[in-house]
Amino acid sequence: MTDCVFCQILADKGPVSYVCQDETTVAFMDITPVNSGQVVVIPRVHAQYLNELDDATTQALFLTAARIGAALRHSPVALDGYNLFLADGVAAGQEVFHVHILVIPRRTGDAMKIHAQWLHPFRWELDRQAKKISQAYRELFPAA
Ligand SMILES: [Zn+2]
């Protein structure tokens, strides 16, 4: 997809600070990080949504993200923890429409905040939602 900024990176168009690459995924430094040391992990194949990836690519994507987290902890980059952030859809905050995981180094007291009003649903509501999601899961993945 030629208008996709991540596909342009995959085509070696423009400067990129690569962290690691394999046959399925590429990890590079984010040019607009929330925190210093933030890494973007993408699949080589273009897909907007996570569920468009095959299982092997999904596994590789998350494995690379987890390994980047381990590398951050092992590196001299100062951090107290990290977040994996995947925005799947505009409503979730997706701005680049090529599935990607941000590995965001976190430091105690940093500026990143999750503003939410945490809900406390009744058990019957949780049970009802679980049944609907479970049914959809079985329809999508009958052998799982
Ligand atoms: Zn793309």
Side-chain angles (χ1 to χ4, degrees), residues 22 24-26 41-44 50 53 55-67 86 99-101:
D22 61 30
T24 310
T25 64
V26 177
V41 183
I42 63 172
R44 287 189 180 277
L50 184 62
L53 300 176
D55 287 354
T57 303
T58 301
Q59 289 169 346
L61 182 69
F62 278 91
L63 180 59
T64 299
R67 286 177 171 176
L86 190 157
V99 65
H100 57 285
I101 299 175

Side-chain angles (χ1 to χ4, degrees), residues 25-129:
T25 64
V26 177
F28 53 90
M29 300 309 296
D30 196 329
I31 61 169
T32 56
V34 172
N35 279 337
S36 177
Q38 183 169 309
V39 177
V40 183
V41 183
I42 63 172
R44 287 189 180 277
V45 62
H46 179 88
Q48 179 175 349
Y49 300 115
L50 184 62
N51 67 303
E52 295 173 2
L53 300 176
D54 62 28
D55 287 354
T57 303
T58 301
Q59 289 169 346
L61 182 69
F62 278 91
L63 180 59
T64 299
R67 286 177 171 176
I68 293 294
L72 278 167
R73 286 190 186 279
H74 188 68
S75 78
V77 172
L79 72 155
D80 301 311
Y82 64 88
N83 286 106
L84 300 182
F85 183 78
L86 190 157
D88 200 90
V90 172
Q94 187 173 17
E95 295 177 347
V96 177
F97 301 105
H98 181 129
V99 65
H100 57 285
I101 299 175
L102 302 178
V103 186
I104 306 172
R106 298 300 309 275
R107 293 153 190 119
T108 303
D110 68 23
M112 183 175 167
K113 304 287 182 244
I114 298 173
H115 296 284
Q117 183 176 356
W118 303 103
L119 305 175
H120 302 281
F122 292 109
R123 176 60 53 199
W124 64 263
E125 189 174 353
L126 295 173
D127 289 344
R128 187 179 57 137
Q129 291 171 336

Side-chain angles (χ1 to χ4, degrees), residues 127-144:
D127 289 344
R128 187 179 57 137
Q129 291 171 336
K131 185 176 180 181
K132 290 179 181 177
I133 297 167
S134 178
Q135 181 178 345
Y137 188 92
R138 286 191 312 272
E139 289 171 7
L140 289 171
F141 312 105

